[in-house]
Amino acid sequence: MTTRELLAEFRAGSKRACARLMSVVENEPDVAAAVLDELYPMMGRSFRIGITGPPGAGKSTLVEKLGRECRNRGKTVGIVAVDPTSPFSGGALLGDRVRMPSLFTDPGVFIRSMATRGGVGGLASRTKEVCDVLDAFGRDCIIIETVGVGQVELDIAGAAHSTVVVLVPESGDAIQIMKAGLMEIADLFCVNKSDREGADRLVMEIETMVGMKARTPNPECRTSEVGDRRLAVSDWVPLVVKTVATTGFGVSGLLDQLEAHRKHLEGSGAMTERRRESIRSEIVELTEEWLRRDLWRRPVTTGRLNELVEQVLDGSTTPYRAAEAISRDVLAAG
Ligand SMILES: Nc1nc2c(ncn2[C@@H]2O[C@H](COP(=O)(O)OP(=O)(O)OP(=O)(O)O)[C@@H](O)[C@H]2O)c(=O)[nH]1
Ligand SMILES: [Mg+2]
């Protein structure tokens, strides 16, 4: 099937075409740009929710309940489960099928699993682009699940409008949360497994921490352009919501808070500001990607490269001067 035919099926609402286009976007950078360009006018309507937290915190269980709650409210749902440790991407992982049984048979739900850093040398995350496809597909809510293991959750926070940090009584005290950098990315905290002992203590600790942070002025905020934006965003104080994902307790309240955060983003202008920032970094990234791909396809550059390699070998130039010479040639050629 040609890309054009796939796009036509996608527009007609075919889930199969949607899945195929996601694979294209993940694995075929040359075609991806054309596909995403085609889909761009259909994007921008979905609400993207990031769910992150330590392994086993109950994220998948929570995502299933949250997805179902969205469905109860008449919204279509897309779920992207990002596994930073798995080399397997594409189809749905068996684990998620087992964990989200009620959603797999619902035509209003689309579930996708993807790997981020399975490849040798670190495969760049395409989470945002996969969400873009779901957005163009017309999903009202997109829920992105990822286990918090350092850098990955930062990518997710970048791809989501609202980020929920899921913690459990056994995940340690609030100081550790602060140290792990989770304080910075959380728009909401969810204390899951609150049927277990220690949940109320954790809620109190997080609330204290959030309160302290809200009262501490950040000196950078008043000077830089970035700082002004941060001020605008920082008048949102993250709430702590208690849940029991296995029974669904607290999930409706969590979705209420997510909706409130979305309204806050829209009302304060922060949403537009986020969009502006994300468009800017997207253009920068795409330009760099485009240049990198294009550069060594030019016979002129490869010819020049071979020449310069010999010159470095015979001692008449250095790699540094060679790189500068090639860059100047490319820029001059336009
Ligand atoms: N007691 C209790 N158990 C829960 C709760 N939520 C989830 N669990 C259980 O915790 C275990 C892990 O749940 P998952 O939803 O797979 O957790 P996860 O965070 O997605 O795990 P990874 O994706 O592997 O990091 C499962 O056995 C769940 O049934 C809860 O609120 N209370
Ligand atoms: Mg999970």
Side-chain angles (χ1 to χ4, degrees), residues 10 13 18 42-47 75-78 108 131-142:
F10 178 88
C18 182
M42 300 154 77
M43 294 174 200
R45 287 177 303 122
S46 65
F47 179 41
K75 304 201 182 306
T76 54
V77 173
C131 291
D132 285 345
V133 174
L134 276 174
D135 184 346
F137 197 55
R139 296 288 123 152
D140 301 315
C141 290
I142 299 175

Coordinates of all heavy atoms in Angstrom, one line a residue, residues 10 13 18 42-47 75-78 108 131-142:
F10 N -6.4 6.4 6.7 CA -6.3 7.1 8.0 C -7.4 8.1 8.2 O -8.1 8.2 9.2 CB -4.9 7.7 8.1 CG -4.6 8.5 9.3 CD1 -4.1 7.9 10.4 CD2 -4.9 9.9 9.4 CE1 -3.8 8.6 11.6 CE2 -4.6 10.6 10.5 CZ -4.1 10.0 11.6
G13 N -10.6 7.0 9.1 CA -10.8 6.5 10.5 C -10.3 5.0 10.7 O -10.6 4.4 11.7
C18 N -3.7 3.9 11.0 CA -3.1 4.7 12.1 C -1.9 4.0 12.6 O -0.8 4.6 12.8 CB -4.2 5.0 13.2 SG -3.6 6.0 14.5
M42 N -4.4 18.6 10.9 CA -5.4 17.9 11.6 C -5.0 17.8 13.1 O -5.7 17.2 13.9 CB -5.6 16.5 11.1 CG -6.0 16.4 9.6 SD -5.5 14.9 8.8 CE -6.7 13.8 9.5
M43 N -3.8 18.3 13.5 CA -3.3 18.2 14.8 C -3.7 19.4 15.7 O -4.1 20.4 15.2 CB -1.8 18.1 14.8 CG -1.2 16.9 14.2 SD 0.6 17.1 14.2 CE 1.0 15.9 12.9
G44 N -3.5 19.3 17.0 CA -3.6 20.4 17.9 C -4.9 20.4 18.7 O -5.1 21.3 19.5
R45 N -5.7 19.3 18.7 CA -6.9 19.3 19.5 C -6.9 18.4 20.7 O -7.7 18.5 21.5 CB -8.1 19.0 18.6 CG -8.5 20.1 17.6 CD -9.6 19.8 16.7 NE -9.2 18.6 15.9 CZ -9.9 17.5 15.9 NH1 -11.0 17.4 16.6 NH2 -9.5 16.5 15.2
S46 N -5.9 17.5 20.7 CA -5.9 16.6 21.8 C -5.3 17.1 23.1 O -4.5 18.0 23.1 CB -5.2 15.3 21.4 OG -3.8 15.6 21.2
F47 N -5.8 16.6 24.2 CA -5.2 16.9 25.5 C -4.2 15.8 25.9 O -4.6 14.6 26.0 CB -6.3 17.0 26.5 CG -5.8 17.3 27.9 CD1 -4.8 18.2 28.2 CD2 -6.5 16.7 29.0 CE1 -4.4 18.5 29.4 CE2 -6.1 17.0 30.3 CZ -5.0 17.9 30.5
K75 N -15.2 10.9 25.8 CA -14.0 11.2 25.0 C -13.3 10.0 24.4 O -13.3 9.0 25.0 CB -13.0 12.0 25.9 CG -13.6 13.2 26.5 CD -12.6 14.2 27.0 CE -13.1 15.4 27.7 NZ -14.2 16.1 26.9
T76 N -12.7 10.2 23.2 CA -12.0 9.1 22.6 C -10.5 9.2 23.2 O -10.1 10.3 23.6 CB -11.9 9.2 21.1 OG1 -11.4 10.5 20.7 CG2 -13.2 9.0 20.5
V77 N -9.9 8.0 23.2 CA -8.6 7.9 24.0 C -7.5 7.3 23.2 O -7.8 6.3 22.4 CB -8.9 7.1 25.3 CG1 -7.6 6.8 26.0 CG2 -9.9 7.7 26.2
G78 N -6.3 7.8 23.3 CA -5.1 7.2 22.7 C -4.2 6.9 23.9 O -4.0 7.8 24.8
G108 N -13.2 3.1 20.7 CA -12.8 4.5 21.0 C -11.5 4.6 21.7 O -11.1 5.7 22.2
C131 N 2.4 10.7 19.2 CA 1.3 11.4 19.8 C 0.7 12.3 18.8 O -0.6 12.4 18.7 CB 1.7 12.2 21.0 SG 2.1 11.2 22.4
D132 N 1.5 12.9 17.9 CA 1.0 13.8 16.9 C 0.1 13.0 15.9 O -1.0 13.5 15.5 CB 2.1 14.4 16.1 CG 2.9 15.5 16.8 OD1 2.3 16.0 17.8 OD2 4.0 15.9 16.4
V133 N 0.5 11.8 15.6 CA -0.4 10.9 14.7 C -1.7 10.7 15.4 O -2.8 10.8 14.8 CB 0.3 9.6 14.4 CG1 -0.6 8.7 13.6 CG2 1.6 9.9 13.6
L134 N -1.7 10.3 16.7 CA -3.0 10.1 17.4 C -3.8 11.3 17.5 O -5.0 11.2 17.4 CB -2.6 9.6 18.8 CG -2.3 8.1 19.0 CD1 -1.9 7.9 20.5 CD2 -3.6 7.3 18.7
D135 N -3.2 12.4 17.6 CA -3.8 13.7 17.7 C -4.6 14.0 16.4 O -5.8 14.2 16.3 CB -2.8 14.8 17.9 CG -3.3 16.2 18.1 OD1 -4.5 16.4 17.8 OD2 -2.6 17.1 18.6
A136 N -3.8 13.7 15.3 CA -4.4 13.9 13.9 C -5.6 12.9 13.7 O -6.5 13.2 13.0 CB -3.4 13.8 12.8
F137 N -5.4 11.8 14.3 CA -6.5 10.7 14.2 C -7.8 11.1 14.9 O -8.8 10.5 14.7 CB -5.9 9.4 14.8 CG -6.7 8.2 14.4 CD1 -6.8 7.9 13.1 CD2 -7.2 7.3 15.3 CE1 -7.5 6.7 12.7 CE2 -7.9 6.2 15.0 CZ -8.0 5.8 13.7
G138 N -7.7 12.2 15.7 CA -8.8 12.7 16.3 C -9.1 12.3 17.8 O -10.2 12.5 18.3
R139 N -8.1 11.7 18.4 CA -8.3 11.3 19.8 C -8.3 12.5 20.7 O -7.5 13.4 20.6 CB -7.1 10.4 20.3 CG -7.0 9.1 19.5 CD -8.1 8.2 19.9 NE -8.9 7.8 18.8 CZ -9.5 6.6 18.8 NH1 -9.4 5.8 19.8 NH2 -10.3 6.3 17.8
D140 N -9.4 12.6 21.6 CA -9.5 13.7 22.5 C -8.5 13.8 23.6 O -7.9 14.8 23.9 CB -10.9 13.7 23.1 CG -12.0 13.7 22.1 OD1 -12.0 14.5 21.2 OD2 -13.0 12.9 22.3
C141 N -8.2 12.6 24.1 CA -7.2 12.5 25.2 C -6.1 11.5 24.8 O -6.4 10.4 24.3 CB -7.9 12.0 26.5 SG -9.0 13.1 27.3
I142 N -4.9 11.9 25.0 CA -3.8 11.0 24.8 C -3.1 10.8 26.1 O -2.7 11.8 26.7 CB -2.8 11.5 23.7 CG1 -3.6 11.7 22.4 CG2 -1.6 10.6 23.5 CD1 -2.8 12.4 21.3

